[in-house]
Amino acid sequence: MNPDREMPLWAAQLAALIRKELLQVGADTRLIRMLVLAPIIQLLVFGTAVNFDVDAVPTAVVDQDQTQTSRGDLDELLADGTLKQEMAASDPATALAAMDHGDVAAVVILPHGYAADRLRHRPSPVQVVVDGTDARQSGVAASAAGRFFAQVGRDGAPPALRLEPRILANPTLDTQPYMVPGLAAMTLVSTTTLIAAMGLTREREVGTLEQVLVTPISAWVLLLGKVLPYVGLGLLSTALSLGAGTLWFDVPMRGSLVFLLCATLAYLLSTVGAGLMVATFARTQQQAFMGGFFFMIPAILLSGNMTPVIAMPEWMQPVTWANPLRWYIEILRANLLEGSSFADLWVHLVALLVIGGTLFVAAVRRFRMNLG
């Protein structure tokens, strides 16, 4: 008896469909490469870049006493690696200005007469200023400084220090004001990149792209016509996200909305350009979808939203310079929480324009090559 006749109809149909899909996947070498390489690369990025331990918090030190006692205590404070000295300033204003520009996340100030106050067991107002935009990092920095100065009187004498913490930008150390801008940027890269990649690929699959190509339209005009709708959708999504963050999560809006609009347009140029670049390599929507994720996952992991860039290995930190998500998240947080403007963030804006322009120009060239 033929065993095939004993197989139920639905099982035979299922086996035929599975065989067809396996043959289709096996014949697509690009898809095979994505399936094999993408998990390996993502695993390497996850294992290397994601580190939830907070250490090496960039710190500015202001030693106004300049005595052997003050220098020794500062050396002990920095010895465990939680706080990492990035600069030494002679006055608090210089150190606080560095914090405003994002160069440091904590400032430790030892006042004049620190050593004399310690010797006589008098209170000495040591000041620790932390940037509250990152609640986790600022909490760890303040806690490390507080523990150290609380133990300064470990010789049995009563503590001779009075710690005066100051938290800027996010005084209550709420998580939402810090996380919501990053989540909005992550959502935007997910939607615009995938939509742009799959939209162009879908037109190629159904044949409408070929119909447009026979018309006297240049590649630049054609891609611009496809980019602008996605940019409009991205702006609408950004407005809704920021509105929800302000109403529901109490995210402040202290900066210039005009500058924020310019930064968002530059960021959308990068994300949509990445989607168009993926579409020039993909032949099917399935490939476009996987290619979009191949771009998005490393961008999210290396953005600094989940793990601070300073906590990543030193060799990996320069890689984040080519990540538009990193620059846009830093712009959002600095603009919304600290009120930073173009004078503070022009480097970030230029980086977004360079990345977006490079991706878009490369997509146009790839598109022209495909036409040829």
Side-chain angles (χ1 to χ4, degrees):
M1 182 180 293
N2 190 344
D4 293 339
R5 294 183 180 178
E6 297 180 358
M7 182 180 294
L9 178 61
W10 65 268
Q13 292 172 339
L14 180 61
L17 288 173
I18 292 175
R19 182 173 180 274
K20 180 188 74 69
E21 288 298 322
L22 290 176
L23 290 174
Q24 219 170 16
V25 171
D28 193 339
T29 57
R30 294 185 181 183
L31 187 58
I32 291 293
R33 287 196 294 268
M34 288 184 182
L35 290 172
V36 174
L37 294 178
I40 296 175
I41 294 176
Q42 291 171 18
L43 179 63
L44 293 175
V45 174
F46 264 114
T48 307
V50 177
N51 180 9
F52 292 102
D53 296 334
V54 178
D55 55 6
V57 178
T59 304
V61 172
V62 182
D63 185 0
Q64 296 180 307
D65 198 41
Q66 292 294 324
T67 60
Q68 183 177 357
T69 300
S70 63
R71 288 191 291 267
D73 283 354
L74 286 174
D75 290 339
E76 286 190 47
L77 173 64
L78 302 171
D80 69 347
T82 303
L83 303 179
K84 179 182 178 182
Q85 182 175 339
E86 292 292 338
M87 66 174 295
S90 58
D91 62 284
T94 303
L96 294 176
M99 176 179 287
D100 290 338
H101 286 86
D103 298 329
V104 296
V107 177
V108 178
I109 304 172
L110 300 188
H112 294 289
Y114 172 83
D117 290 336
R118 278 204 58 190
L119 182 63
R120 294 174 174 82
H121 303 296
R122 295 183 308 203
S124 183
V126 176
Q127 193 171 60
V128 179
V129 186
V130 294
D131 183 359
T133 54
D134 187 339
R136 181 178 55 183
Q137 180 175 255
S138 57
V140 170
S143 177
R147 286 195 308 270
F148 171 78
F149 288 115
Q151 296 174 359
V152 167
R154 58 186 175 274
D155 55 358
L161 302 170
R162 185 176 72 252
L163 186 66
E164 296 182 358
R166 291 175 55 200
I167 302 175
L168 303 182
N170 185 16
T172 57
L173 294 180
D174 293 332
T175 303
Q176 286 84 357
Y178 175 75
M179 291 300 298
V180 168
L183 293 175
M186 289 169 56
T187 303
L188 199 56
V189 71
S190 302
T191 54
T192 54
T193 301
L194 284 180
I195 291 176
M198 297 185 68
L200 186 60
T201 307
R202 182 177 60 251
E203 290 198 28
R204 178 179 296 168
E205 280 188 309
V206 300
T208 55
L209 183 61
E210 284 73 11
Q211 297 176 9
V212 176
L213 292 177
V214 298
T215 61
I217 299 179
S218 65
W220 281 99
V221 176
L222 178 59
L223 287 183
L224 276 177
K226 295 189 174 298
V227 164
L228 293 179
Y230 302 138
V231 170
L233 291 174
L235 290 175
L236 177 61
S237 175
T238 303
L240 293 175
S241 298
L242 294 181
T246 302
L247 294 175
W248 294 337
F249 301 108
D250 296 326
V251 177
M253 300 186 69
R254 299 190 176 105
S256 168
L257 293 180
V258 175
F259 174 75
L260 189 59
L261 174 62
C262 296
T264 303
L265 288 173
Y267 177 61
L268 289 172
L269 181 64
S270 301
T271 60
V272 176
L276 294 178
M277 175 63 74
V278 169
T280 61
F281 286 94
R283 296 179 180 176
T284 65
Q285 293 186 65
Q286 185 180 19
Q287 290 180 350
F289 185 80
M290 294 190 65
F293 268 95
F294 189 76
F295 167 78
M296 286 160 36
I297 298 301
I300 291 173
L301 293 178
L302 299 177
S303 65
N305 189 48
M306 299 174 60
T307 302
V309 175
I310 193 66
M312 300 178 187
E314 292 187 1
W315 65 266
M316 182 170 281
Q317 293 178 22
V319 179
T320 65
W321 299 344
N323 184 7
L325 189 56
R326 174 203 170 169
W327 299 111
Y328 186 60
I329 288 178
E330 291 182 359
I331 287 176
L332 281 179
R333 287 172 177 161
N335 181 269
L336 297 177
L337 302 182
E338 302 174 13
S340 301
S341 61
F342 177 81
D344 306 304
L345 300 170
W346 66 270
V347 173
H348 299 65
L349 184 60
V350 170
L352 284 177
L353 290 173
V354 170
I355 296 171
T358 302
L359 286 173
F360 192 76
V361 170
V364 171
R365 291 184 176 179
R366 279 284 309 172
F367 191 68
R368 285 177 172 173
M369 290 173 57
N370 292 344
L371 292 181

